[in-house]
Amino acid sequence: MNCQNCRKPLKLDITLQGLDPAAYELLVGRSWRFIDSENHMLKFLGSAGHSVDPPINTSRLPYAAERKGLYEKAARNASAPVFKRIIPAARQSFGTERAMAASMKAGLRENPAMSFMMLTDSEVMPARHSANLDETPQTEQSSVQGNVTAQQDYTISTLTLSNQIETSTKLFETLSSRSDIDHPVCTECTELLLTSLRSRLDTSTKERDAHIAFLKAVNNSAPTQAEVSKAQASLAASRAAEENTFAELQSLEREKAGLEDEIANLEAESLALDEEEEAFWRSRNTFAHKLSSLQNERDALNAAYDHDVRQLEKLQRTNVYNDALHITSDGTFATINGLRLGRLPPKHSVDWAEINAAWGYAALLVATVADKLGFAFRGYRVKPMGSISRIEQEEYPSPQNSTSRTRQLSSSQDKRPKVTTLDLYSSGDMPLASAIIHRRINHGMVAFLECLRQLCEFVEKSNDHAPSSSSPITGVGKDAASPGLGMKLPYRIKHDKIGNDEKGFKSIRLNASNDDEWTDACKYTLTCCKYLLAAMGHRLDARD
């Protein structure tokens, strides 16, 4: 066997190897305590199943009280053994001896409550065989004496060892089932268990002493009759107050039930209102979505309308002639479509090809403005032909200077004017004959100034009768004016000169020593052309 705590192998004590049935019964057949449910009394149950009274004071006895009761019960109910061993005769066969031993063992197992037995009949001690001449014949005993003796010794020893193991196992199982300790245990584990039990005993002793002290204190503090009467009166008052409070509680509970019903009704109404509110918010969200869609569509239309209005205003303010004939300034030079008109040798010597192209654009501008405004030049016709533009001068014969014969011829013939072609271009510089070379372009530039003067006077007269406008016209110089305000030309033209009183008049004729003056005169001329473009754009916008 092994220790059930530390699993060490154990050697049983010698006192447990020779237990007789009485000692085994004293160890195993210990009584159990139970409570009588009818009388509410503590009873002890013996090994035979009869209840006995509890012991008076078990602490004064050197042994357990249930053992004493068991012993007294066994002594009172003692009778002859139920099982009797039959000693076989000497002549009995080996099978009879084996059957006797088996019947003896079965009798002991079937009747474990047997209290007394002959020592020779014990289950532990081996049986002694005696001769029984009455039961067994002499001749049969002498014939099998030797075989029976050997067989008996082997059978008894085998039965003894198995009975010892079975007895010890049953004893330890019974002890383990009746306590919280698994048996068997070794000496060291027993000491540890004893130490633990001693500590538990000390704790229980202290608790017992505390209970005894409390019981004494309770017994010593017993109330007097006056205190009892006072307590009873207080108890009666408390019970009356309890009844009143209970009645009030019942009324409050009834009121609570009414309030709960009212709350249930209000909750039902609240649920209905929640559903209505949900339906309202759903319809409101639908309406808000539609409104937002309509507002977005309206905003998109407004944005498109504003864009179209701005685009229309931009297009209305756009003058295609300003883009086609763009006049601006480049330092001291006036330019038309990026071509400089003027020359300042030797630092700024402009080629005649660029100057001729600039005069061609200027002629195109004057001709276009006159055509759009429906104006016809008096005595001149402008022929814009690019870098070889010309101005045709028409001269009619004077009637005072002609003779009578000439009058007759003219009256008989068609009245045709004399046409003189004036060039607005030059072929190049010839220092020795500069006066001859520039004579033709000088006549052309003087004629151009005359055409420009006529056209500007026509525009100024037309603006005197036109409504005013607040849109300013940006010119080349600071003196550019708005024709919509009825102002005069920024520069006046006097035959072959152009200018004003502040800056003076500059001649448009070119010679070998007046390049600066001629450049300024060309700049003033293009400024008046810019004025004419603005006036024409204003007139066309007012007409539309």
Side-chain angles (χ1 to χ4, degrees):
M1 293 186 178
N2 296 327
C3 178
Q4 299 300 315
N5 190 19
C6 62
R7 310 306 297 176
K8 290 182 179 180
L10 297 178
K11 182 179 181 182
L12 298 179
D13 191 79
I14 193 172
T15 57
L16 298 176
Q17 297 179 1
L19 290 176
D20 55 358
Y24 179 81
E25 181 66 22
L26 291 176
L27 292 175
V28 176
R30 186 174 59 179
S31 61
W32 287 85
R33 293 187 301 172
F34 73 97
I35 298 177
D36 189 359
S37 59
E38 296 180 357
N39 300 325
H40 302 283
M41 295 178 63
L42 185 63
K43 298 290 185 178
F44 286 84
L45 184 63
S47 59
H50 301 285
S51 60
V52 296
D53 295 332
I56 299 174
N57 189 0
T58 57
S59 61
R60 297 180 182 179
L61 298 177
Y63 48 85
E66 58 269 19
R67 290 192 178 185
K68 181 180 178 182
L70 181 60
Y71 176 77
E72 291 177 354
K73 179 182 178 182
R76 288 194 303 267
N77 299 329
S79 61
V82 177
F83 176 79
K84 291 183 180 181
R85 180 179 180 185
I86 300 174
I87 300 174
R91 297 179 179 180
Q92 203 169 5
S93 63
F94 177 74
T96 307
E97 290 293 334
R98 181 177 295 179
M100 178 191 65
S103 62
M104 179 183 64
K105 182 177 180 181
L108 290 175
R109 290 182 179 179
E110 291 176 358
N111 191 14
M114 189 172 59
S115 299
F116 298 96
M117 186 178 293
M118 297 298 294
L119 187 58
T120 57
D121 296 336
S122 176
E123 188 179 2
V124 180
M125 299 301 293
R128 294 180 182 179
H129 300 279
S130 60
N132 191 353
L133 299 177
D134 297 335
E135 298 179 358
T136 306
Q138 183 67 30
T139 59
E140 189 179 357
Q141 181 178 3
S142 60
S143 63
V144 294
Q145 182 68 34
N147 294 332
V148 171
T149 304
Q151 186 66 28
Q152 286 179 353
D153 293 338
Y154 173 76
T155 302
I156 292 172
S157 62
T158 303
L159 292 175
T160 303
L161 180 59
S162 63
N163 290 336
Q164 288 179 0
I165 294 175
E166 184 179 359
T167 303
S168 300
T169 302
K170 186 175 181 181
L171 176 62
F172 290 134
E173 290 178 355
T174 305
L175 293 177
S176 299
S177 64
R178 295 182 179 180
S179 65
D180 55 352
I181 301 171
D182 293 335
H183 292 277
V185 291
C186 61
T187 307
E188 290 80 0
C189 295
T190 304
E191 292 179 356
L192 295 176
L193 289 173
L194 290 175
T195 303
S196 176
L197 292 174
R198 288 192 189 96
S199 63
R200 291 172 60 182
L201 177 61
D202 294 340
T203 303
S204 299
T205 304
K206 292 179 181 179
E207 291 180 358
R208 183 202 63 183
D209 296 339
H211 288 302
I212 292 173
F214 179 75
L215 182 60
K216 289 181 180 180
V218 170
N219 293 330
N220 292 332
S221 61
T224 60
Q225 187 64 29
E227 293 177 351
V228 171
S229 301
K230 185 177 180 181
Q232 290 178 353
S234 177
L235 178 61
S238 299
R239 289 179 177 176
E242 181 183 2
E243 292 178 357
N244 296 331
T245 306
F246 184 73
E248 185 178 358
L249 177 61
Q250 289 181 346
S251 66
L252 292 176
E253 287 180 351
R254 288 191 296 270
E255 184 178 357
K256 178 184 177 183
L259 292 176
E260 288 178 351
D261 295 338
E262 185 177 356
I263 290 173
N265 296 330
L266 292 176
E267 288 180 353
E269 293 179 1
S270 176
L271 292 176
L273 291 176
D274 291 339
E275 293 177 356
E276 293 180 2
E277 182 181 3
E278 184 178 358
F280 167 75
W281 283 113
R282 190 180 297 109
S283 61
R284 186 261 179 195
N285 292 336
T286 304
F287 174 76
H289 179 69
K290 292 182 179 178
L291 180 62
S292 178
S293 301
L294 294 176
Q295 288 178 351
N296 294 334
E297 185 177 359
R298 182 202 61 188
D299 295 340
L301 292 176
N302 290 336
Y305 174 77
D306 294 339
H307 177 267
D308 295 341
V309 168
R310 289 193 297 269
Q311 193 70 18
L312 178 61
E313 292 177 355
K314 182 178 179 181
L315 292 176
Q316 288 176 351
R317 290 194 301 267
T318 301
N319 190 350
V320 66
Y321 301 103
N322 285 333
D323 296 334
L325 301 170
H326 184 62
I327 298 175
T328 184
S329 61
D330 183 10
T332 58
F333 294 99
T335 62
I336 178 169
N337 288 344
L339 300 175
R340 292 173 294 179
L341 186 60
R343 53 181 298 168
L344 296 173
K347 187 176 181 180
H348 298 287
S349 181
V350 182
D351 295 336
W352 275 107
E354 183 177 355
I355 296 173
N356 294 336
W359 277 117
Y361 277 121
L364 179 63
L365 186 150
V366 171
T368 302
V369 171
D371 182 64
K372 290 295 180 183
L373 296 180
F375 176 74
F377 296 104
R378 297 184 300 274
Y380 296 96
R381 285 185 295 180
V382 180
K383 300 292 183 178
M385 302 171 62
S387 298
I388 55 172
S389 299
R390 295 180 178 86
I391 297 177
E392 294 180 353
Q393 183 179 8
E394 298 176 348
E395 294 180 354
Y396 292 91
S398 174
Q400 296 178 358
N401 297 327
S402 61
T403 60
S404 60
R405 186 177 179 179
T406 305
R407 293 175 183 173
Q408 293 176 359
L409 291 175
S410 59
S411 60
S412 62
Q413 299 178 356
D414 295 334
K415 295 182 180 179
R416 295 180 180 179
K418 180 181 178 181
V419 179
T420 304
T421 302
L422 305 176
D423 298 336
L424 276 177
Y425 62 92
S426 178
S427 58
D429 293 336
M430 293 182 66
L432 297 177
S434 60
I436 299 174
I437 294 300
H438 295 319
R439 181 172 58 84
R440 295 180 63 85
I441 191 173
N442 286 336
H443 290 302
M445 289 187 294
V446 171
F448 183 83
L449 280 183
E450 179 62 22
C451 293
L452 182 64
R453 184 190 65 78
Q454 294 179 13
L455 186 59
C456 289
E457 288 180 354
F458 173 76
V459 171
E460 287 178 356
K461 292 179 181 179
S462 300
N463 288 336
D464 291 339
H465 304 285
S468 62
S469 176
S470 60
S471 57
I473 305 298
T474 303
V476 175
K478 295 181 180 179
D479 296 332
S482 173
L485 298 177
M487 297 179 66
K488 301 294 182 182
L489 281 172
Y491 302 103
R492 297 194 303 275
I493 298 174
K494 294 181 180 180
H495 189 55
D496 61 343
K497 294 182 179 181
I498 183 171
N500 53 19
D501 296 336
E502 182 181 356
K503 295 182 178 181
F505 290 88
K506 309 292 182 180
S507 176
I508 198 66
R509 295 180 180 273
L510 179 62
N511 53 41
S513 60
N514 70 338
D515 290 334
D516 295 339
E517 183 179 358
W518 181 69
T519 301
D520 292 338
C522 291
K523 185 176 182 180
Y524 298 161
T525 301
L526 289 182
T527 301
C528 292
C529 291
K530 180 74 173 180
Y531 174 86
L532 289 177
L533 282 177
M536 182 185 66
H538 178 72
R539 180 70 59 84
L540 294 177
D541 293 340
R543 184 183 301 173
D544 295 338

